[in-house]
Structures are given as structure tokens and as C-alpha cells.
Amino acid sequence: MKPHFLLFLSVLLVLILAIISLFTLMPLGKQSFATNRYNSHIIPPPVSMPTVSPPTPTVQTVLTAQGPAPTIAASAAYLLDADTGHMLTDINGEKPLPMASTTKIMTALIVIQTSDLDQLVSIKQDAYDRAHNNGGSSANLVVGDQISLKDLLYGLLLPSGDDAATAIADELGGTQAFVERMNLFAYRLHLFQTHYSTVDGLTNDENHYSTAYDLVQLAQYAMHIPLFAQIVQTPEYTLAATAQHHSYNWVTTNTLLTTYPGMIGIKTGYTGKAGWCIVFAAMHANHELIGAILDSPSEYQRHQDATSLLNWGFSLQ
């Protein structure tokens, strides 16, 4: 062989050995990049993402009854943890009983949800007579005054004016038609043990009744309506005189609003047949309780029963 040919073969052999050595040193399966078999794009290696812990959910404490509820003098009571829907106590809560002026919770709801609250209502003689000739409670409305529906709601719910209830019903189709709407709405809310025969609860009619359970369900619904919630937690409301009406000052019959810390409503009631009644709601430590008491023997005992139930309910863990 010629020397230059031998030199060429030597160089070629060195190159082949170098290439073989290079591939031998590369670890299989550890390539820095791979080729996608569906295209010629280079796919980068997977990148480790930082681990992010999910936010810790806020857990609502469920109040659980521990031991028996306080002894009360009322014929029926029901207490609900409004935040969780958990029943805390039920004392004859499904027994139909007269509910007196707690009736006006439904009266107010019909007005708020179906009427123009700026509409003026003319106070007629029958509204005055309803309160003053039947031993009812009164907003002291003056015959001939014209008052907006929104303002009349304060006269309805704070001093529990039977005259206000009658004036409202007169303006909105008459008492019978208004009562029919109340019963229809009760049915739609699944209050199957509630029936109305008047707009104010001033009656001995056996067909006018509710239960502590139904009243709590109704109150829970009503307290989600901002205007209603605002009115029932108002201790006193002053309506200044205008060319259309006299001045009025209405004070709530629910004295627990100013004596029980955290009380936010909602409505009292009394007749000889119904006894002393109250539907109440209170807040404490970010918890809301709603309750109802029917047929307590006195106004003092009604407030004591409500206070005992609330104190017990808020003490639960």
C-alpha cells in the first residue's frame, strides 16, 4: 500500500473510534431533549412546578344540643341555628296554635314583595275602628292622612298597628283578597300548618293559626329581605309631619331589642286566646339564632323564655 493511503485509513479509524466513544459515553434514555414523533418540534423536559397548598376552607360551627333545653312556660317553642339550618329545640313546634300579631310578618312580606312602596295609602275610618273598637294595638293613625306603604310598614311592625294592617289591606284590594294572598304565599313557602283569616291576628277564629316551626321558617325567609330586616331591628321610628299626614312616633313592642345584646328582631303578639307570643332573632359570635314562642302566660314570662332559649343556644359548641 501507498504510505498516503495508509495515513488516510489511520485518520478514518481514529474518527470512527472517537464517534463510537462519544455515543458510548451518552447514557441511554437521559437525553436532554426528545423529538415528538408527530412533528419535528423539540419538546423540552418536564419542569417541576412549585407546590401550592389549597386555601383552608372556613368551617361553620354546627351548634349541637347538649342535654335538655331550658324549661319554659310557653305551650310551644322552636329554636333554629339559622346559619346551618340545625334544629336546637322543638317543644310542641308542630302544634297549630293562635299566633296573634306575629301574623303581621306575613302581612309585611306581601306588601314588600308585591307593591309599590311609594304608593300613598289613605287612612279610612274602618282602620281606626279596627284598632280602637276591638281592643287591638294601634299606630294611632289619623283618618284622612295619606302615608306611603313603606312608612306604614313601620307602623305595622313596630307598634303592631292593627289600624296600619287594615289600612294596607284596604288599599291593596280589600281584606278578603289580601288574606287570600297571605294563604297562597304560605302555601308556596311550604308552611302547611299555617292559615290566615285576618291581616292582623286580632281574632278568635279557629281558622287563624300557625306553629312555632312554621313561624321560624317564615322568619328565616323574611330576615333575608333587607327592608324587612331593617324595620324589625328598629327600636323607634319618627315620621315627620307633611302636607299629607300628621307626625308619628312609633316604638317597637319588642323590648328585647334594647335589653338583650345582639337581638335583631322580629315580632311580638298577644290576644287573650293566643297568649303572649314572640318570634325572635339574635346574633352572637357570628352565629344567628331564630326562634318562636307561642302561648306564654305573661309578657314577662315570654321575654324570660326567649332569653333562656337564646342563652342556652349560644352556649352550645
Side-chain angles (χ1 to χ4, degrees):
M1 290 186 179
K2 295 181 179 181
H4 65 274
F5 183 74
L6 290 175
L7 179 60
F8 172 77
L9 288 178
S10 298
V11 173
L12 181 61
L13 180 60
V14 170
L15 289 173
I16 292 172
L17 290 174
I19 292 172
I20 292 173
S21 298
L22 180 61
F23 277 96
T24 302
L25 291 174
M26 289 180 63
L28 294 176
K30 300 287 186 179
Q31 293 89 343
S32 297
F33 297 93
T35 303
N36 189 320
R37 65 191 179 96
Y38 296 109
N39 55 54
S40 60
H41 294 169
I42 295 176
I43 303 174
V47 178
S48 297
M49 298 298 292
T51 302
V52 179
S53 300
T56 303
T58 301
V59 179
Q60 179 66 58
T61 302
V62 178
L63 302 182
T64 304
Q66 300 173 4
T71 300
I72 62 171
S75 295
Y78 194 92
L79 186 66
L80 179 77
D81 179 353
D83 299 308
T84 62
H86 189 63
M87 183 273 292
L88 299 180
T89 189
D90 181 349
I91 303 170
N92 297 321
E94 288 73 34
K95 181 180 180 180
L97 292 168
M99 66 290 206
S101 285
T102 63
T103 297
K104 291 163 184 162
I105 298 172
M106 180 63 84
T107 308
L109 287 177
I110 296 296
V111 174
I112 292 171
Q113 297 200 312
T114 67
S115 307
D116 175 5
L117 296 179
D118 293 325
Q119 180 177 341
L120 293 179
V121 176
S122 295
I123 309 303
K124 300 176 182 177
Q125 188 64 44
D126 66 326
Y128 178 90
D129 292 343
R130 177 67 175 171
H132 293 275
N133 296 349
N134 296 284
S137 49
S138 175
N140 295 315
L141 300 179
V142 177
V143 175
D145 275 5
Q146 291 186 309
I147 304 173
S148 72
L149 279 172
K150 183 177 181 179
D151 286 327
L152 272 181
L153 287 172
Y154 286 88
L156 175 76
L157 292 171
L158 270 61
S160 195
D162 296 328
D163 46 0
T166 301
I168 288 169
D170 283 348
E171 185 68 26
L172 300 180
T175 298
Q176 182 175 351
F178 198 97
V179 168
E180 289 175 358
R181 292 162 72 185
M182 293 168 70
N183 284 318
L184 179 60
F185 197 39
Y187 181 80
R188 288 177 176 173
L189 292 178
H190 297 174
L191 307 180
F192 297 130
Q193 291 181 292
T194 294
H195 190 269
Y196 302 100
S197 63
T198 72
V199 296
D200 55 12
L202 183 63
T203 181
N204 291 321
D205 188 347
E206 296 290 339
N207 288 320
H208 192 88
Y209 56 83
S210 188
T211 66
Y213 170 83
D214 275 8
L215 284 168
V216 168
Q217 303 308 308
L218 179 62
Q220 187 175 28
Y221 175 89
M223 292 299 282
H224 282 93
I225 299 174
L227 177 59
F228 182 92
Q230 172 189 319
I231 293 172
V232 297
Q233 62 182 309
T234 302
E236 184 175 1
Y237 184 77
T238 299
L239 182 63
T242 69
Q244 292 151 329
H245 59 71
H246 293 76
S247 64
Y248 294 94
N249 186 71
W250 294 314
V251 178
T252 183
T253 58
N254 183 11
T255 57
L256 287 175
L257 272 179
T258 55
T259 60
Y260 188 90
M263 182 66 64
I264 56 174
I266 65 172
K267 187 71 190 73
T268 64
Y270 170 77
T271 65
K273 185 178 180 64
W276 297 87
C277 308
I278 187 170
V279 181
F280 54 91
M283 292 283 297
H284 177 71
N286 295 320
H287 241 98
E288 181 181 358
L289 300 182
I290 299 178
I293 288 172
L294 294 176
D295 191 26
S296 197
S298 69
E299 182 178 15
Y300 172 81
Q301 190 60 54
R302 173 183 70 186
H303 291 165
Q304 286 297 108
D305 288 347
T307 298
S308 296
L309 288 175
L310 285 171
N311 288 344
W312 173 76
F314 285 128
S315 71
L316 299 174
Q317 301 296 327

